[in-house]
Amino acid sequence: MLYHIFRGLFRVFFRLFYRYEVVGNEHIPSTGPVMLCCNHISNLDPPILGCGTDRKVSFMAKQELFKIPVVSFLIRSFGAFPVKRGVTDKQALKKSLSILKEGGTLGIFPEGTRSKTGRLGKAFSGVGLFALKENADVIPTAVIGPYKLFKGVKIVYGQPIDLEDLRQDKVNSEKVQEATDRIMTGIQQLLDEHKNQL
């Protein structure tokens, strides 16, 4: 219930202050496990990623944010769960996989941190592993910014990435890397296609 309330408030906020526009949300299946894989340019990326779809989206957020009472309440209400940065956080990985196993929607920022230049950075390989371990629809997603008041920001959801050939037989490091590369290529294509359309 709280999630839907906060999503509604964020939608109003983005429309009022950022001329928020959504493109391609018809590519997101209405049921079944989904991964929304998005570039990362601002702390506002998680809520805007979730605002573009009627599905509840869960996110990893750095553990430090959960030590701030008000912030912790807000981000938990909006579907966030903690992750330790700089180490392999098995609890966060298990939580992510369980969301997909239960048919939920997982929002992932493959770069792991915000880009200081606005350009797409290097991805961590975990995104490819998630995509191959669970039979989820993988949706490349792009936030087209920058976030400037009243200047316009766009969230673009692309068509699902075909990974079926990589899901056959045993998953190995080469397949994981290939899946990661396809996801990042999909995000970059959306950025290139829409960057001058605000």
Side-chain angles (χ1 to χ4, degrees):
M1 184 64 169
L2 277 175
Y3 180 90
H4 298 292
I5 292 172
F6 279 110
R7 183 175 61 195
L9 292 173
F10 272 119
R11 283 174 174 172
V12 172
F13 169 78
F14 285 125
R15 287 189 182 114
L16 284 177
F17 295 104
Y18 293 101
R19 291 172 48 212
Y20 163 64
E21 181 182 355
V22 180
V23 177
N25 58 359
E26 70 275 8
H27 295 141
I28 303 173
S30 58
T31 60
V34 170
M35 287 174 55
L36 302 177
C37 300
C38 188
N39 64 313
H40 198 7
I41 60 174
S42 167
N43 286 329
L44 291 173
D45 293 340
I48 205 170
L49 179 60
C51 282
T53 173
D54 288 334
R55 296 191 58 159
K56 178 180 178 179
V57 182
S58 298
F59 306 90
M60 293 183 192
K62 60 183 180 180
Q63 189 179 45
E64 292 81 359
L65 294 176
F66 292 85
K67 297 178 181 178
I68 308 169
V70 174
V71 174
S72 177
F73 170 75
L74 290 174
I75 61 178
R76 284 185 189 277
S77 298
F78 203 64
F81 58 93
V83 61
K84 298 175 184 176
R85 299 198 299 176
V87 298
T88 299
D89 189 336
K90 293 183 179 180
Q91 287 300 113
L93 297 177
K94 287 180 180 178
K95 175 66 174 177
S96 300
L97 291 173
S98 70
I99 288 168
L100 296 175
K101 284 180 180 178
E102 293 167 7
T105 305
L106 181 67
I108 290 184
F109 300 97
E111 297 159 281
T113 187
R114 286 172 292 155
S115 169
K116 295 180 180 179
T117 64
R119 297 176 182 174
L120 192 64
K122 184 179 179 180
F124 64 92
S125 60
V127 66
L129 183 61
F130 288 163
L132 296 182
K133 282 186 72 71
E134 301 300 327
N135 194 28
D137 285 292
V138 180
I139 308 295
T141 309
V143 176
I144 312 295
Y147 291 85
K148 290 185 178 180
L149 287 176
F150 312 113
K151 295 295 185 180
V153 65
K154 181 188 293 187
I155 181 78
V156 184
Y157 303 97
Q159 295 187 21
I161 295 173
D162 185 3
L163 299 173
E164 288 310 306
D165 60 315
L166 301 178
R167 286 175 172 148
Q168 297 175 18
D169 302 321
K170 188 176 180 179
V171 173
N172 55 38
S173 59
E174 289 79 12
K175 288 184 176 182
V176 168
Q177 187 59 54
E178 175 62 23
T180 302
D181 291 344
R182 290 186 194 181
I183 291 168
M184 298 306 284
T185 296
I187 297 171
Q188 186 63 60
Q189 287 174 344
L190 294 177
L191 290 170
D192 293 341
E193 181 180 349
H194 292 271
K195 65 183 178 181
N196 297 318
Q197 297 181 16
L198 283 177

